[in-house]
Structures are given as C-alpha cells and as structure tokens.
C-alpha cells in the first residue's frame, strides 16, 4: 500500500490525512511546520494530553471549544485558575471532561510560568530537544524517539503532567521538531523549507 494518497489537487499527501475530513487542512497548514510561539506550543501540549486514550479527530473537532474554555491557552491566565474553574470545565460538554487532564493543564500552566520566571521561554525549552534530521527513523514508523523520551523526562522533572514519551513525540511531529511527512508527500518539502528559514531560541545552530 502506498504511503501517500492524491489530494483534491491531485498532488500526493500522507495517507492519514484522508481518514477524516478535518485532517486535510490540518495536514497541509499545521502538522510538521515549526512553531516558536509559546502559547501555541502550550496549547498543543495540552491538547496532546487530552488526546491520551482518544483519537486526534476527537480533539481536533473540539479544538475551538477547548480554546474558548481555556481562554485561548493563555497559560498566565490558566495558572490562576481555581477549583471553581475546574468545576466550570467539568461541566463544559464542548470539551473532554476529564478531571485529571483538566487539572494537568492548570498545573502545566504554572510550570510554564515558572519557566518564564527563570528567564526561559517554553519554545527555548522544547527546541533544545530537536533531533538531528539525519538520525530520524523513517517517517511515521515510530511513536517515540530518544529525544521525545528525553524531553518527556525533562518536563516531568520540572513538574509537568500528561507528558509521556508518546504524547511528546506526537507534539514534536505536530510542532515541526520532527518532519514526519512521508517521502513523496507534497507538504514534506514545504515543511523542510519552513524549518530552513526558522529561528528559535534553543534550536540547533
């Protein structure tokens, strides 16, 4: 079976993006493109935590609801959430109502704020773990890597929750630390070019 499928324009794309109608735009415009914005990085780590045990489609179709419920994933604001906010979120049918995951987002927001207080951005923290592209496994053949294991350990040591190696690897794929578009996918080259012009504190030189 081919690793690619033809998109609406006839150009090949990763086969997974045909699995649901919401995936094509996400695949073409977000997945694998490098991100340096702390709030976007925090949002993705949070959503990957919510995805644990679920499908990405479940999360993606609720993403706007999550953004509204969590005030745009402004971690400075989330860090001040109280038990009243937890109950508000548990009553919100538009998101995944899981107390442990909700409380993890609040905890992780406080950890992100602590990073900033130490003078380090979340972007600088995570991009230190960008792997050498020459050492990567073939695209979409693994669910963890030495770097995702290392970043997971570093986050956990710093007090973050719901950041296991598989969750972190999915985050790295999505945020462009790993270009996991398959060979032949029209977006793979676009993501590579985006990375070539990308500068981020903590990235490889």
């Amino acid at each position: 079976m081919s690793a690619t499928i033809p998109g609406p324009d006839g150009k090949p794309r990763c086969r997974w993006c045909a699995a649901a109608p919401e995936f094509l735009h996400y695949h073409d415009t977000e997945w694998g493109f490098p991100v340096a914005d702390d709030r976007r990085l925090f949002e993705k780590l949070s959503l990957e935590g919510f995805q644990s045990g679920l499908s990405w489609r479940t999360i993606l179709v609720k993403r706007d609801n999550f953004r509204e419920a969590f005030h745009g994933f402004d971690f400075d604001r989330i860090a001040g959430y109280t038990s009243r906010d937890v109950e508000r979120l548990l009553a919100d049918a538009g998101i995944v109502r899981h107390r442990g995951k909700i409380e993890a987002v609040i905890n992780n927001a406080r950890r992100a704020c602590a990073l900033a207080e130490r003078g380090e951005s979340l972007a600088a923290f995570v991009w230190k773990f960008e792997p050498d592209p020459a050492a990567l496994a073939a695209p979409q053949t693994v669910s963890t890597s030495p770097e995702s294991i290392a970043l997971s350990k570093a986050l956990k040591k710093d007090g973050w929750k719901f950041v296991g190696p598989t969750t972190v690897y999915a985050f790295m794929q999505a945020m462009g630390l790993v270009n996991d578009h398959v060979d032949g996918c029209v977006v793979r080259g676009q993501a590579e070019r985006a990375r070539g012009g990308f500068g981020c504190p903590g990235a490889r030189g």
Side-chain angles (χ1 to χ4, degrees):
M1 181 183 294
S2 173
T4 62
I5 51 95
D9 56 4
K11 296 178 180 179
R13 287 168 172 79
C14 298
R15 176 169 288 277
W16 66 261
C17 74
E22 298 83 8
F23 287 170
L24 181 65
H25 181 74
Y26 174 71
H27 169 274
D28 283 5
T29 63
E30 294 186 53
W31 196 73
F33 288 87
V35 174
D37 180 80
D38 279 3
R39 190 181 294 194
R40 282 190 60 197
L41 292 166
F42 181 76
E43 173 186 294
K44 191 66 170 110
L45 272 172
S46 300
L47 294 179
E48 289 293 349
F50 272 106
Q51 185 193 344
S52 179
L54 303 170
S55 71
W56 174 238
R57 185 185 186 189
T58 297
I59 304 303
L60 187 59
V61 298
K62 293 176 179 285
R63 184 163 64 169
D64 286 343
N65 298 336
F66 276 107
R67 286 172 172 169
E68 182 175 359
F70 283 96
H71 296 99
F73 287 95
D74 178 349
F75 50 80
D76 288 309
R77 184 164 181 176
I78 296 170
Y81 278 10
T82 66
S83 59
R84 181 175 295 180
D85 291 289
V86 174
E87 296 307 315
R88 168 180 63 82
L89 292 162
L90 285 170
D92 189 338
I95 67 169
V96 174
R97 294 179 287 183
H98 184 292
R99 182 180 293 273
K101 294 176 181 181
I102 289 168
E103 291 178 343
V105 172
I106 299 169
N107 170 79
N108 293 349
R110 292 167 182 162
R111 304 285 72 73
C113 289
L115 267 180
E117 289 166 5
R118 298 199 301 265
E120 185 172 19
S121 69
L122 180 57
F125 187 91
V126 301
W127 276 92
K128 288 186 294 187
F129 294 87
E130 180 195 10
D132 179 352
L136 292 174
Q140 299 176 38
T141 60
V142 300
S143 58
T144 64
S145 70
E147 293 80 13
S148 79
I149 293 169
L151 177 53
S152 172
K153 286 181 178 178
L155 287 167
K156 289 178 179 178
K157 184 178 180 181
D158 211 39
W160 293 64
K161 298 179 179 179
F162 277 92
V163 286
T166 301
T167 294
V168 168
Y169 189 73
F171 164 81
M172 296 173 84
Q173 289 174 301
M175 297 287 96
L177 284 84
V178 173
N179 183 358
D180 231 18
H181 288 278
V182 296
D183 292 330
C185 172
V186 67
V187 182
R188 182 174 178 82
Q190 297 172 14
E192 286 179 353
R193 288 189 291 274
R195 180 63 190 92
F198 175 78
C200 174
R204 289 184 303 108

